[in-house]
Structures are given as structure tokens and as C-alpha cells.
Amino acid sequence: NRSYVILARGFDVAGKTQTVLVPTISSMTVVIDTAVPNVAIGGPPVNTGSYQPGNIGASLNSTLLHGTDSDLGALASGVKRVQARLSYLLGPDTYYWDGNQFSSTTANAATAWQSVNAPPANWTYSVDINWPTDTSHPMKMEVRAEDKSSLPDGTNTGNLSSPSLVGTDIVNFNIDVVVPGSTITWPTPNAAVSSTTVLMTGVESDDLSGVKT
């Protein structure tokens, strides 16, 4: 980032030259901001984590999606907004969180970004997430940040970061709604066992997060 001073003065036909350069009228200081801001996801969710739908993204248990942001360096314009995008794949379709539900039709990769405007250094997305409950799903959360730089008339998008680092501004996690299963393989039903001790064996399964115990 760099600061520049713009000066303007007038000359009339008689040869007189303007000597007083009034600030904000005949002189102006502008900052050219070229650095993107920083943003990170705060856990939960953490990368490769698994969560039941009611245990993440909910205001009731203080698990709303959150993180940190900053616009460092000299002459930084500051963070204008943080945006988060949630998605999962189901067959050939990508489902995006549109602010109310996950859908493959009401939002796409460009429109699914949900904004936290004028965020503090520790930002929070204050909307409760309605996670899908049809089955367990691998989820992706991405965040990006935009600074306050603009065109002279105040329009245009500021410097915008792009999610690129898994575990920082990209997190892959599971929403798990399927209970694990287990099967006893030995002894078999109604088996006659002669030993006073029995070594029981079996198998267990789970769709995404894996069996804990």
C-alpha cells in the first residue's frame, strides 16, 4: 500500500499562478491499497471433524460459525466484510447454503456467499444453519474477506481474498446423522460353548465419522 498526494493549481491568462493549495480542494491525499485482507475459520468446525447437526452452527449452544479477520500493514483500509460459503456434493449436484436452506437450485457458487458486514476482528455468522438430515454429508466451508478500498466515487469491490488454505480459510468436515452399527460374529446364535471364557468377536460400521467405541 502507498500514499500519494495529488496537487492542482491554476494559471490565468494574465500570468498569475495559484499559490494557496487548500486541502481537500486543491490538494488531496489518497491511499492505493493493493493488499487483500486475511480471514480464518475458528473451530468448530475443524478440518476432518464430524458433528451431529444440532452441535454445530447453532446459537442455542454457542456453536455459530465464526473466525478471525484482519487487514494488516501500513495504510490498510480495513475489513469491509467477511463472507462464508457452505456446500456439499450429492451425486452430480452441488448443494449450497442460501441463507435458509441447502439447495442445488436457489444458489450457486457465485451467489452462495453469506456476508458478515463491518465485522469485528472476531467475526460470527449469526444465522443458525439448517443442516440436511436425509443422510450424513461431507461438508465444505470456505471464507473470504473484502477490504474497504474502492473507486474514487465509492463504488466497486475492494481487494477480495480467495480461499486457498485447507485448515485456515477452507474446512472440510462431516455432518453425521447416521448411527453406527455393530454385529456379533462369534459366538453364533444359540451356540454351545465349552470354554469357561468366551472371546467375543464382531464387526462395526459407520458411514462417515467412524466408530468411536
Side-chain angles (χ1 to χ4, degrees), residues 80-102:
K80 177 181 179 181
R81 62 180 173 175
V82 167
Q83 293 183 310
R85 183 171 66 186
L86 291 166
S87 64
Y88 67 89
L89 287 172
L90 184 61
D93 299 318
T94 301
Y95 285 70
Y96 293 98
W97 172 251
D98 66 5
N100 295 293
Q101 63 182 345
F102 282 91

Side-chain angles (χ1 to χ4, degrees), residues 150-174:
S150 67
L151 294 177
D153 62 1
T155 64
N156 203 38
T157 301
N159 295 306
L160 187 63
S161 66
S162 179
S164 60
L165 187 60
V166 173
T168 300
D169 52 15
I170 301 172
V171 167
N172 299 296
F173 62 100
N174 300 319

Side-chain angles (χ1 to χ4, degrees), residues 4-71:
Y4 295 87
V5 177
I6 301 173
L7 303 174
R9 63 180 182 176
F11 302 86
D12 66 16
V13 294
K16 295 179 181 179
T17 302
Q18 177 184 356
T19 57
V20 178
L21 304 179
V22 180
T24 74
I25 298 177
S26 299
S27 67
M28 183 177 298
T29 300
V30 298
V31 174
I32 303 300
D33 187 338
T34 60
V36 298
N38 303 305
V39 63
I41 299 166
V46 297
N47 201 55
T48 71
S50 295
Y51 307 91
Q52 296 181 47
N55 294 339
I56 188 69
S59 56
L60 187 63
N61 53 16
S62 301
T63 60
L64 288 171
L65 304 179
H66 64 283
T68 59
D69 63 88
S70 62
D71 195 21

Side-chain angles (χ1 to χ4, degrees), residues 116-135:
V116 179
N117 294 314
N122 294 288
W123 61 267
T124 298
Y125 179 60
S126 60
V127 178
D128 285 35
I129 307 299
N130 297 315
W131 302 106
T133 57
D134 56 327
T135 188

Side-chain angles (χ1 to χ4, degrees), residues 163-189:
S164 60
L165 187 60
V166 173
T168 300
D169 52 15
I170 301 172
V171 167
N172 299 296
F173 62 100
N174 300 319
I175 292 296
D176 193 335
V177 300
V178 177
V179 297
S182 62
T183 303
I184 299 172
T185 57
W186 176 258
T188 58

